[in-house]
Amino acid sequence: MQGNDVGHTGMDTDVVIAGAGPTGLMLACELRLAGVDVVVVEQLAQRTGESRAGGMHSRTLEVLDQRGILDRFLAAGQLTPVGHFSGLWLDFDGFESRHALPLMILQSTIERLLEEWAAELGVRVRWSSEVIGIRQDKDAVTVELGTAQAAPATLRARYTVGCDGGRSTVRKLSGIDFPGTPATMTALLGDVELPELPEEFIFMRRCEGGHYSALALEPGWHRVITSEYDHVADRDDSATFEHLRESLIRLAGTDFGMHSPRWISRFGDAARQAAQYREGRVLLAGDAAHIHYPAGGQGLNIGVQDAVNLGWKLASVVRGQAPESLLDSYHTERHPVGERLLHNTRAQSALARPGEQMDALREVFGSLIEFDDVNRYLRGMITALDVRYPADSDHPLAGRRVPDADLKTPDDATRVYELLHPARPVLLDLRGNAELVAAAKGWADRVDFVEARSEDDHWPVPAIGEIPTPAALLIRPDGHVAWAAATGGVPDTSALRTALTTWFGPTLQR
Ligand SMILES: Cc1cc2nc3c(=O)[nH]c(=O)nc-3n(C[C@H](O)[C@H](O)[C@H](O)COP(=O)(O)OP(=O)(O)OC[C@H]3O[C@@H](n4cnc5c(N)ncnc54)[C@H](O)[C@@H]3O)c2cc1C
């Protein structure tokens, strides 16, 4: 499609997404699943093959399972039984999820797999297209694109989402504040060949001035990371192999003979968050909305989860089913998640500082992690499995992600996440509550009704333990519970209709 090729609606597309990173690609796929037309514009001419992230956590694996694409990721990565909080090991085994263990997988592989899925769904990605201008009016947003090679073009769309990373142009052009705390340390990262490493795995080895890691990345390659706390580098200075070598020698007393760098980068512990995730027709997601110290491997995960929260809401508004105000719930629900992410990574950065007092604090903290409740609390936070959105109901599942229980339908055996593959809301009746069908009749065009049985009396829920199997659930496309009925009582169909209206828009046929 050409930039100024305006269709009969006066729009080039429904949604323009800036940035083809993990967040932008996931959002594009969610929108396409809901039948929304979307164009992703990406400033790069092609992928660099570089990988910042090296892993995905439980909730992201569940989200991919909810869309039926998890096997592709499992086949390309490796499950590992542990995670960490500031280098102190957390045990993930036995956590209440079908996918409790973190998956080690390079960001470049994650992006390739998401891009393949996006292509299957008909997402258009426009490479070499940098967002350089944004204008909003009553009906639309006009995105101006430019590259060194081509004359600027424009795309007119109903909405634009900035998934364009920590230095987001979309955020800046929209005048959205990015308050937070500045960096207090400097980390250097290099993917190098490392012939003289005395051990296979060095992780956050503490020494005077900071700590360093050397981790096997893939055959023949190691990732070396140094973290120094006595200075803060200028974020615009380029990082070089020599900087990394000098830093490693300062910390480890040797450079382990490292050579042949294929990627050198620098990062710090600055932590900032967009004051608003929505400004009219412009929204932000992923690193564009939050940056932080990459401790515990959470940023990509939270970005993908932002996308899954926003996708179905934006689709519903674009299709004219839900009012625009539904988009405000994206900020209401996801801003606190980002805030907690900044908070926990600030804590991890502080705990990683050098010095004898910090050694003592880490020892105390390390003993606390041995307590099952502390381990459970921290892994719930790092995996984002404990996220609960504000909910009107006091049912323990309301606002939480639904457990992936095994189910029997009249025709088949299935499980909850399989029901979510089409990314549509599901009204799940587990006790043959005939009145639910009547109550939800007006939403039949947009909500799938499923009658099933769960053979388990109780369902496992992270951060809670076990709860009695509910009688019925209204599940949003992102897997969070919009309404729940407890076993034993009479389902509150009035509350069900309120939830249907709140999340999926009013209906004329009630
Ligand atoms: C050392 C390190 C290790 C990490 N490890 C992990 C980990 O293990 N797990 C984890 O979850 N996270 C990790 N992270 C964080 C993770 O890499 C990021 O959170 C993730 O890349 C964010 O994805 P995104 O799509 O929001 O942004 P990005 O990946 O930054 O993608 C943004 C895209 O937008 C494009 N773009 C930018 N400006 C424009 C423009 N004006 N117009 C058009 N396109 C534009 C960019 O080229 C880019 O392709 C790590 C980060 C670092 C630094």
Side-chain angles (χ1 to χ4, degrees):
M1 188 182 64
Q2 295 303 305
N4 296 313
D5 188 11
V6 179
H8 68 279
T9 58
M11 304 284 170
D12 295 300
T13 183
D14 293 322
V15 179
V16 171
I17 295 173
T23 307
L25 290 170
M26 190 72 200
L27 178 61
C29 292
E30 291 291 294
L31 289 168
R32 282 302 303 139
L33 278 172
V36 166
D37 194 60
V38 56
V39 177
V40 181
V41 295
E42 166 58 54
Q43 67 179 3
L44 296 174
Q46 58 189 30
R47 292 246 169 261
T48 61
E50 292 160 1
S51 281
R52 281 177 284 162
M56 290 203 288
H57 283 298
S58 193
R59 182 58 194 146
T60 311
L61 301 181
E62 289 189 348
V63 157
L64 298 172
D65 193 9
Q66 287 175 189
R67 296 297 178 257
I69 55 163
L70 176 62
D71 286 351
R72 307 175 187 197
F73 292 81
L74 294 179
Q78 206 183 345
L79 292 170
T80 160
V82 289
H84 71 99
F85 189 87
S86 196
L88 299 165
W89 296 115
L90 294 173
D91 182 5
F92 283 78
D93 216 357
F95 208 28
E96 294 90 348
S97 166
R98 209 180 278 274
H99 310 293
L101 303 185
L103 182 70
M104 282 159 50
I105 180 169
L106 290 177
Q107 182 160 343
S108 54
T109 308
I110 295 170
E111 287 168 357
R112 175 175 58 77
L113 293 173
L114 286 175
E115 210 177 311
E116 284 170 12
W117 186 41
E120 289 162 26
L121 294 172
V123 171
R124 289 167 291 164
V125 181
R126 254 174 87 149
W127 297 91
S128 300
S129 300
E130 180 187 5
V131 173
I132 55 171
I134 290 180
R135 280 192 319 276
Q136 290 198 52
D137 58 47
K138 190 170 62 58
D139 305 312
V141 53
T142 304
V143 179
E144 192 181 346
L145 304 172
T147 66
Q149 296 82 29
T154 57
L155 283 174
R156 195 167 154 78
R158 304 277 307 280
Y159 290 90
T160 272
V161 189
C163 302
D164 51 344
R167 297 181 183 211
S168 171
T169 305
V170 172
R171 185 185 68 230
K172 289 172 194 156
L173 289 171
S174 307
I176 297 175
D177 274 355
F178 201 42
T181 46
T184 66
M185 47 81 71
T186 298
L188 285 162
L189 171 159
D191 291 345
V192 298
E193 290 188 42
L194 203 51
E196 297 164 21
L197 199 64
E199 299 145 73
E200 184 53 27
F201 185 78
I202 297 177
F203 184 57
M204 286 186 69
R205 178 146 311 157
R206 292 169 62 72
C207 45
E208 199 178 319
H211 54 86
Y212 63 95
S213 304
L215 312 166
L217 195 64
E218 52 188 31
W221 290 95
H222 274 81
R223 170 157 292 183
V224 172
I225 303 176
T226 63
S227 298
E228 293 188 87
Y229 289 79
D230 58 357
H231 71 286
V232 178
D234 185 333
R235 66 200 287 263
D236 291 322
D237 280 359
S238 56
T240 66
F241 181 57
E242 228 14 73
H243 289 142
L244 178 66
R245 186 202 298 279
E246 287 163 8
S247 174
L248 189 57
I249 291 172
R250 275 196 297 278
L251 293 171
T254 168
D255 69 357
F256 298 117
M258 68 177 178
H259 63 87
S260 307
R262 66 175 181 193
W263 184 47
I264 302 288
S265 179
R266 176 187 280 131
F267 60 90
D269 63 347
R272 299 189 176 278
Q273 187 179 21
Q276 305 134 252
Y277 281 19
R278 174 180 176 218
E279 173 60 50
R281 295 184 173 275
V282 177
L283 297 116
L284 299 175
D287 276 16
H290 36 71
I291 59 157
H292 54 86
Y293 184 59
Q298 302 170 80
L300 181 151
N301 288 266
I302 297 298
V304 166
Q305 290 161 35
D306 285 347
V308 174
N309 182 289
L310 176 59
W312 65 274
K313 294 175 180 172
L314 188 52
S316 190
V317 172
V318 165
R319 284 195 310 253
Q321 287 173 336
E324 267 211 349
S325 55
L326 180 63
L327 295 177
D328 293 329
S329 72
Y330 169 62
H331 174 96
T332 308
E333 294 187 337
R334 294 305 296 175
H335 193 274
V337 173
E339 211 170 348
R340 189 177 70 154
L341 170 67
L342 264 60
H343 199 63
N344 91 54
T345 50
R346 279 190 188 112
Q348 294 193 63
S349 165
L351 256 184
R353 298 189 82 79
E356 282 183 37
Q357 285 92 345
M358 291 313 300
D359 290 343
L361 181 58
R362 286 176 71 81
E363 220 176 291
V364 172
F365 203 84
S367 323
L368 291 175
I369 287 181
E370 306 269 308
F371 290 99
D372 191 48
D373 280 353
V374 179
N375 192 82
R376 174 178 290 273
Y377 170 78
L378 291 173
R379 69 189 172 180
M381 185 166 68
I382 297 287
T383 57
L385 276 176
D386 66 355
V387 167
R388 184 178 198 184
Y389 299 141
D392 287 337
S393 156
D394 57 5
H395 190 282
L397 279 182
R400 291 186 196 278
R401 110 312 172 212
V402 66
D404 184 25
D406 288 318
L407 299 174
K408 283 227 161 68
T409 65
D411 319 313
D412 215 352
T414 184
R415 55 195 177 87
V416 175
Y417 288 6
E418 274 178 5
L419 304 177
L420 294 169
H421 286 184
R424 282 169 55 86
V426 174
L427 179 56
L428 178 59
D429 177 8
L430 294 163
R431 290 281 185 276
N433 302 289
E435 64 274 40
L436 295 183
V437 189
K441 194 163 148 251
W443 287 268
D445 61 332
R446 64 195 80 159
V447 176
D448 293 335
F449 183 80
V450 177
E451 195 180 341
R453 293 275 177 280
S454 166
E455 290 188 348
D456 303 308
D457 295 340
H458 286 79
W459 284 4
V461 181
I464 296 184
E466 287 203 326
I467 61 154
T469 301
L473 292 172
L474 177 62
I475 309 167
R476 311 188 321 187
D478 59 4
H480 280 255
V481 173
W483 169 88
T487 299
V490 180
D492 181 349
T493 51
S494 158
L496 169 62
R497 273 198 294 269
T498 303
L500 284 161
T501 309
T502 303
W503 296 111
F504 312 120
T507 175
L508 296 176
Q509 318 156 34
R510 262 183 273 169

